[in-house]
Amino acid sequence: GRGLISLALRRSGPDHVRLPFEAPASILNGRVTNARRVATQQLDLGTIRDVAKREDASVNDIFLAVCGAALRRYLEDRDALPDRPLIAGVPVNLREEGQEGGNAVGFLWSSLATDVADPIERLAAIGTKAFSDEPE
């Protein structure tokens, strides 16, 4: 109950919490059929850490920016890029440092800034406005 009240209170203001229903309609959030395919890509964590350090960003921000760039390109190629950013569900570790045993995983919704063309501006939008309603 307290969690829902807290969430409801954060639905407005500068720290607005993103919800999955805020995602724009796109070719990606339709009915799931057997025509869906999965592709993977392996990235070097050391390179991601180097970029994060150089850009004063987190590893997670870099990862989300890469995902946003790939989705933006995919949707642009199909003339299906929404005007608003796509929203991604992101798992987060809730265990405190040194805590062992069991699972402590949460989930948050983050903007992928797919509406931002420039990669550096996209990274900034993800890092600073992931929970904001303010226009890019």
Side-chain angles (χ1 to χ4, degrees):
R2 280 184 266 160
L4 288 175
I5 291 170
S6 174
L7 180 60
L9 293 174
R10 290 193 61 196
R11 289 287 306 140
S12 62
D15 292 329
H16 172 78
V17 174
R18 292 262 186 222
L19 295 175
F21 306 111
E22 292 179 29
S26 78
I27 62 173
L28 300 175
N29 58 3
R31 175 176 245 169
V32 177
T33 69
N34 62 355
R36 292 276 172 125
R37 291 186 170 80
V38 175
T40 62
Q41 179 65 47
Q42 187 171 348
L43 303 174
D44 179 62
L45 184 56
T47 301
I48 291 176
R49 284 183 175 141
D50 290 345
V51 172
K53 185 175 181 179
R54 185 175 64 236
E55 296 300 325
D56 193 28
S58 73
V59 168
N60 289 339
D61 289 345
I62 299 298
F63 178 76
L64 292 172
V66 168
C67 291
L71 286 167
R72 179 181 171 86
R73 183 178 310 147
Y74 177 84
L75 293 168
E76 277 184 319
D77 288 350
R78 286 151 184 80
D79 197 28
L81 181 65
D83 293 336
R84 295 182 331 195
L86 294 180
I87 307 297
V90 182
V92 291
N93 179 10
L94 299 176
R95 275 192 277 179
E96 295 181 21
E97 191 169 331
Q99 185 180 1
E100 294 184 24
N103 290 325
V105 178
F107 205 71
L108 62 85
W109 299 99
S110 177
S111 169
L112 292 177
T114 51
D115 58 327
V116 180
D118 181 83
I120 300 298
E121 291 176 19
R122 182 179 312 110
L123 177 60
I126 288 169
T128 62
K129 296 188 180 194
F131 299 102
S132 173
D133 260 346
E134 297 173 23
E136 304 293 318

